[in-house]
Amino acid sequence: MKQSSFRYLGVFDLLLVGAFVAVFGVGAFTASVVVPAMALAGVAALVAGSVKSVSVGPLALSWRHFVALTYALFAVILPGSYLSSVLAGTASQAEVALFVVSSVGALSLLFFGYDVLRGGKHFDVDANVETVVGR
């Protein structure tokens, strides 16, 4: 996979968020953690596929940090949609099961993001963008 491919993931994700907000209104943005997490994941993926690094003051983040953030947010989205009802004790048996299964599945997304962050021992993403922001 190439680093620049994350641009397409980010655009697709942001289009999904836009469609969701268009159908359900701006209130959908505050109804749960899912829509804001998807929006932030889309922005992070778009940045990951567009720049080599971003520097703000002493902080420098490489594109790999943005990929890791993208996958961490994707990992939160599905279990996050069930979390409030599970914590409130109002979740059905099926919702609890989906929460558990999606939480276990989220571990694979977290692992993928972590592996890309540390240089891709198991999953190889080729850096092919040279743009640096903030230097």
Side-chain angles (χ1 to χ4, degrees), residues 106-129:
L107 294 175
S108 64
L109 291 171
L110 289 172
F111 177 73
F112 183 78
Y114 174 73
D115 189 62
V116 171
L117 178 64
R118 66 185 181 129
K121 182 177 179 183
H122 301 286
F123 302 100
D124 187 32
V125 180
D126 297 324
N128 66 339
V129 176

Side-chain angles (χ1 to χ4, degrees), residues 23 65 73 78 88 94-95 102 105 119 127 130 132-133:
V23 171
H65 289 99
L73 288 166
L78 192 56
E95 288 173 325
S102 62
E130 294 298 321
V132 174
V133 176

Side-chain angles (χ1 to χ4, degrees), residues 13-125:
D13 191 35
L14 291 173
L15 286 173
L16 286 175
V17 169
F20 192 81
V21 170
V23 171
F24 297 107
V26 178
F29 220 86
T30 58
S32 77
V33 69
V34 174
V35 179
M38 277 187 71
L40 188 54
V43 170
L46 194 58
V47 171
S50 301
V51 299
K52 181 177 181 180
S53 67
V54 175
S55 297
V56 178
L59 182 65
L61 299 172
S62 77
W63 65 272
R64 292 183 182 278
H65 289 99
F66 290 101
V67 169
L69 176 61
T70 299
Y71 280 100
L73 288 166
F74 283 152
V76 167
I77 290 171
L78 192 56
S81 64
Y82 298 108
L83 183 61
S84 62
S85 60
V86 169
L87 290 177
T90 59
S92 68
Q93 203 171 24
E95 288 173 325
V96 171
L98 285 170
F99 174 75
V100 170
V101 169
S102 62
S103 295
V104 171
L107 294 175
S108 64
L109 291 171
L110 289 172
F111 177 73
F112 183 78
Y114 174 73
D115 189 62
V116 171
L117 178 64
R118 66 185 181 129
K121 182 177 179 183
H122 301 286
F123 302 100
D124 187 32
V125 180

